[in-house]
Amino acid sequence: MTRLLSIDPLHIDDALIQRAAQVIRKGGLVAFPTETVYGLGANALDSAAVARIFTAKGRPASDPVIVHIGERDQLDQVALNVPPLASRLAERFWPGPLTLVLTRHPSIPAIVSSGMPTVAVRMPSHPVALALLRAAQVPIAAPSANRFSRPSATTAQHVLEDLHGAVDLILDGGPASIGLESTIVDLTGDPPVVLRPGGIPLEDLRTLLPALQVQVRLLREDEDGILAPGMLYKHYSPRAPLLLFDGPHQSVVEAMRRTVLDMHSRGKAVGLLIASGERSSFDDLPALLFDMGGDLAAISSQLFEGMRSLDRQGVDAILVHGYDRVGLGLALWDRLLRAAEGRVIECG
Ligand code: AMP
Ligand code: MG
């Protein structure tokens, strides 16, 4: 049975945290808020508990999960030969939305990392996540708390939508503030490589890592369309197909308007994910509008809620356009591309 309990991040109820920590220590699953998205957590040292994460999410065993720690000292219990660079990054960006890929410590079971010799580690900054990690006194393996390939969960309600009955306890600490996942940096090779853009912008990482490279498949320039084994295009997707428009703003607006009218004439229900400033460009159309907010931070935090909200309203397609790919915008573009299964409608 799934229990959902509210917890105030500013006045943490210690008894509730102890109860959640107990569930983790006994091999159960706890969904908890982080500053990026909600995590579906299990004791990272317990392979049977971690196996429950994969079952609950319907996640393939080939997709590894991130290990969360609550104290800097725990890093040496989950990773081997931690390089000085990892310590410098941790010093600068932890707690926060940065995940480091390092050499896996033998204490971390292979299932966590899909059998790879590496481990992805992060220390979240959300007070509820930190309190839970510190009370549990074990590292917590936690992917996003959504069914596999669905938009990540950024509220406790999203967790319930996807995982009711499959998780023991959900801690509801309100909406995740960033709303996109962590930036993942692989430090096991030279130079360091970004595997996923996220909450820490590349520009910030480059101040410490000038040689940083980016190997995010969908963000490469010449997409050859061939899927490498284990590469998953469909990710973060709403149920309705997501149509991603890109190009000069005026051309994009015109193309989106034409598409809405065309789909409407064919009896389709259309949803639009837009920014606040764009309402007047679309509000005369026969479409459902979801206003994600006025700036990149707001838009990023509302993206997954927007997809889920339009899905709940039963639209046949969701139209959205790209935003500037600087700062958090790169992570936003990555999630939009994946949700659109790599297809972009180029306009103008
Ligand atoms: P999620 O938290 O659901 O966004 O998923 C965790 C992400 O971290 C996935 O995209 C994984 O591929 C990535 N990840 C976890 N462990 C590793 C690892 N050892 N090496 C590379 N990527 C990893
Ligand atoms: Mg995920």
Side-chain angles (χ1 to χ4, degrees), residues 37 57 59 62-68 99 101-102 112-113 116-120 142-146 152 181-182 184 186 195-196 235-236:
V37 301
K57 283 185 60 109
R59 182 177 176 113
S62 58
D63 198 359
V65 299
I66 294 172
V67 172
H68 295 73
T99 297
V101 174
L102 299 163
V112 168
S113 301
M116 293 189 293
T118 56
V119 64
S144 52
N146 48 278
S152 298
E181 299 79 354
S182 59
I184 303 179
D186 185 349
L195 302 179
R196 175 177 76 185
H235 218 124
Y236 313 113

Side-chain angles (χ1 to χ4, degrees), residues 53-223:
I53 294 178
F54 286 88
T55 307
K57 283 185 60 109
R59 182 177 176 113
S62 58
D63 198 359
V65 299
I66 294 172
V67 172
H68 295 73
I69 57 175
E71 317 269 1
R72 168 64 184 79
D73 290 351
Q74 270 183 309
L75 184 54
D76 299 298
Q77 294 158 27
V78 303
L80 282 180
N81 312 321
V82 174
L85 185 55
S87 305
R88 288 211 297 281
L89 287 167
E91 179 94 4
R92 170 84 171 270
F93 296 107
W94 281 358
L98 177 67
T99 297
L100 302 177
V101 174
L102 299 163
T103 304
R104 178 162 56 92
H105 191 286
S107 70
I108 299 294
I111 183 174
V112 168
S113 301
S114 306
M116 293 189 293
T118 56
V119 64
V121 191
R122 145 171 138 86
M123 190 193 298
S125 66
H126 195 290
V128 172
L130 277 179
L132 175 62
L133 283 160
R134 289 171 185 171
Q137 296 183 328
V138 290
I140 295 181
S144 52
N146 48 278
R147 290 279 304 169
F148 181 66
S149 92
R150 295 265 299 140
S152 298
T154 54
T155 67
Q157 206 51 44
H158 297 165
V159 182
L160 258 192
E161 255 170 43
D162 280 21
L163 297 173
H164 188 76
V167 46
D168 299 301
L169 177 60
I170 302 172
L171 295 177
D172 182 354
S177 57
I178 298 175
L180 298 178
E181 299 79 354
S182 59
T183 304
I184 303 179
V185 179
D186 185 349
L187 294 179
T188 61
D190 191 22
V193 175
V194 172
L195 302 179
R196 175 177 76 185
I200 298 286
L202 245 54
E203 295 87 338
D204 292 3
L205 286 171
R206 288 216 158 102
T207 62
L208 272 186
L209 301 176
L212 187 68
Q213 297 206 335
V214 180
Q215 273 178 27
V216 180
R217 184 171 181 80
L218 287 176
L219 292 176
R220 281 193 201 143
E221 285 301 331
D222 62 9
E223 181 53 58

Side-chain angles (χ1 to χ4, degrees), residues 121-346:
V121 191
R122 145 171 138 86
M123 190 193 298
S125 66
H126 195 290
V128 172
L130 277 179
L132 175 62
L133 283 160
R134 289 171 185 171
Q137 296 183 328
V138 290
I140 295 181
S144 52
N146 48 278
R147 290 279 304 169
F148 181 66
S149 92
R150 295 265 299 140
S152 298
T154 54
T155 67
Q157 206 51 44
H158 297 165
V159 182
L160 258 192
E161 255 170 43
D162 280 21
L163 297 173
H164 188 76
V167 46
D168 299 301
L169 177 60
I170 302 172
L171 295 177
D172 182 354
S177 57
I178 298 175
L180 298 178
E181 299 79 354
S182 59
T183 304
I184 303 179
V185 179
D186 185 349
L187 294 179
T188 61
D190 191 22
V193 175
V194 172
L195 302 179
R196 175 177 76 185
I200 298 286
L202 245 54
E203 295 87 338
D204 292 3
L205 286 171
R206 288 216 158 102
T207 62
L208 272 186
L209 301 176
L212 187 68
Q213 297 206 335
V214 180
Q215 273 178 27
V216 180
R217 184 171 181 80
L218 287 176
L219 292 176
R220 281 193 201 143
E221 285 301 331
D222 62 9
E223 181 53 58
D224 54 14
I226 297 167
L227 285 176
M231 283 303 289
L232 302 156
Y233 265 4
K234 195 171 162 62
H235 218 124
Y236 313 113
S237 300
R239 294 201 172 83
L242 185 118
L243 305 185
L244 174 57
F245 294 75
D246 198 41
H249 194 253
Q250 199 47 42
S251 312
V252 163
V253 168
E254 282 163 19
M256 287 173 76
R257 289 185 57 91
R258 276 198 306 276
T259 305
V260 170
L261 292 170
D262 175 58
M263 294 188 84
H264 178 71
S265 74
R266 289 185 285 117
K268 304 276 189 216
V270 184
L272 293 176
L273 291 172
I274 59 163
S276 304
E278 301 174 320
R279 271 188 174 279
S280 61
S281 302
F282 298 109
D283 61 7
D284 59 319
L285 291 173
L288 289 166
L289 298 188
F290 184 96
D291 182 345
M292 296 185 286
D295 57 25
L296 264 184
I299 290 167
S300 300
S301 76
Q302 288 303 304
L303 175 69
F304 293 135
E305 165 60 20
M307 290 179 186
R308 284 173 179 266
S309 165
L310 291 174
D311 258 348
R312 283 193 298 268
Q313 296 174 80
V315 298
D316 297 303
I318 296 176
L319 277 48
V320 64
H321 65 75
Y323 293 86
D324 280 349
R325 276 145 237 182
V326 294
L328 198 53
L330 188 67
L332 180 63
W333 177 244
D334 171 78
R335 305 309 185 270
L336 288 172
L337 268 178
R338 285 168 193 271
E341 297 180 49
R343 286 188 294 268
V344 181
I345 301 166
E346 302 287 353

